[in-house]
Amino acid sequence: MPNDCIFCQIVAGDIPSKTVYEDESVLAFLDVNPLAPGRTLVISKDHHETLGDVPKDTANDLFSVLHDLTPAVEAAVDADASNVAFNNGEAAGQEVPHLHGHIIPRFDGDGGNPIHAIAGTRPDLSDEELDAIADEIREE
C-alpha cells in the first residue's frame, strides 16, 4: 500500500468513509465531494492503479459489485439513471492513482452530459484506419 494513496488509507481505516459495501476484495463508499447525491466509488482493496494492473479475478469482483450497487444507488436517491465509468489513467482524468469505478446518479434535467461528451473532438477515421486499429487491438 502506498503511504500517500488516499484510497489505501480508507481501506486501512486511517481515513473514515461512508461505506455502503465491503467484502474481502472490494470496498464501496460515498464520494465526499459528490457530483450528484449518492455518487459512489467502488475500489479494490488491493492497490492497483489502472484496469490493466488489476488481476482478472479482482476485475470480476469489481464489476460484480458495480452491477449489484448501481440499481441500489439509483433507488436510494430516486435517480432516473446513472453513469458508471472508470477514468483509466491520468490523461483520462484519473485523479487518484488507485483504480476506482464511479456510480454517478443522474436525474432528468440535471444538466449533465452523456459519456460521449468526455472525448473532445471526434477523429475522422477512414475504414482503413479503423481496420488497422482493430488489427492492433486483436494482436495485443
Side-chain angles (χ1 to χ4, degrees), residues 12-85:
D14 298 335
I15 295 176
S17 69
K18 303 289 186 198
T19 300
V20 299
Y21 177 86
E22 183 173 9
D23 65 22
E24 61 281 345
S25 64
V26 175
L27 180 69
F29 51 91
L30 296 180
D31 189 337
V32 296
N33 294 306
L35 298 172
R39 179 182 178 196
T40 301
L41 301 178
V42 181
I43 67 170
S44 65
K45 286 186 167 181
D46 292 334
H47 184 85
H48 305 286
E49 289 192 17
T50 66
L51 278 169
D53 299 331
V54 176
K56 197 169 270 199
D57 60 335
T58 302
N60 289 337
D61 293 344
L62 278 169
F63 188 81
S64 179
V65 172
L66 283 163
H67 175 266
D68 292 342
L69 278 182
T70 298
V73 169
E74 289 175 357
V77 297
D78 200 26
D80 298 304
S82 61
N83 290 105
V84 179

